Amino acid sequence: MKKTVVVVLAVMALAAAGCQKKEEAPKGMAPQGGMPAQQMPAAQPGGGDPHAGLKPQEIPAGVGHKGKVVQTMDAAGYTYIEVEEKGQKLWVAVMQTKVKVGDVVEFPDSPPMVNFQSKTLKRTFDKIIFAPGLHVN
């Protein structure tokens, strides 16, 4: 129960921080394939990897969606996973994570992005959830 409260409070804190004024990315620093600009980490001086040192969040079991991995691919520092949940398939994207077809994964519910274009994968996802991490069973 305490873990759930901590996770909820952490999500609320992140949401509150996200409501603050967002700075526009410098020209030429457009996000490639992964998350939209407002969800991408800030670029580091000198053009280094903006994801350097960041890791997916650990997600406890029982936090939202749960399903079997049908398809997975890595691109631009993210792992895109097609999950079958209760007979329906949905896509989720997380920072690059080790996962394989057949694994059962859990991830928090959040509003999906509709018609998300991944330039790196050269495809459009009808609906995709960007999750802070996932729990692999």
Side-chain angles (χ1 to χ4, degrees):
M1 178 69 181
K2 289 181 181 181
K3 283 185 178 181
T4 303
V5 172
V6 170
V7 169
V8 169
L9 289 174
V11 169
M12 289 175 56
L14 287 172
C19 290
Q20 296 174 359
K21 181 181 174 188
K22 294 178 177 79
E23 293 183 20
E24 204 172 88
K27 293 193 189 280
M29 296 291 292
Q32 296 178 3
M35 294 182 155
Q38 69 268 23
Q39 294 178 358
M40 295 286 289
Q44 294 181 0
D49 180 4
H51 302 114
L54 295 179
K55 295 180 182 175
Q57 293 181 12
E58 287 189 36
I59 304 298
V63 294
H65 291 278
K66 180 178 182 177
K68 187 176 183 178
V69 176
V70 177
Q71 183 179 171
T72 182
M73 61 191 90
D74 293 333
Y78 294 93
T79 299
Y80 294 82
I81 306 161
E82 185 177 27
V83 177
E84 184 172 346
E85 177 184 41
K86 298 177 185 170
Q88 294 189 1
K89 293 181 181 177
L90 71 128
W91 282 95
V92 62
V94 295
M95 290 186 67
Q96 197 159 347
T97 303
K98 287 185 180 184
V99 64
K100 62 186 181 304
V101 172
D103 284 347
V104 175
V105 296
E106 297 182 56
F107 53 94
D109 190 25
S110 63
M113 291 190 68
V114 178
N115 295 323
F116 174 75
Q117 287 187 326
S118 169
K119 292 176 184 169
T120 305
L121 294 173
K122 296 183 175 117
R123 73 178 284 175
T124 299
F125 294 91
D126 293 335
K127 193 163 60 168
I128 188 167
I129 294 175
F130 285 91
L134 55 89
H135 178 81
V136 180
N137 293 325

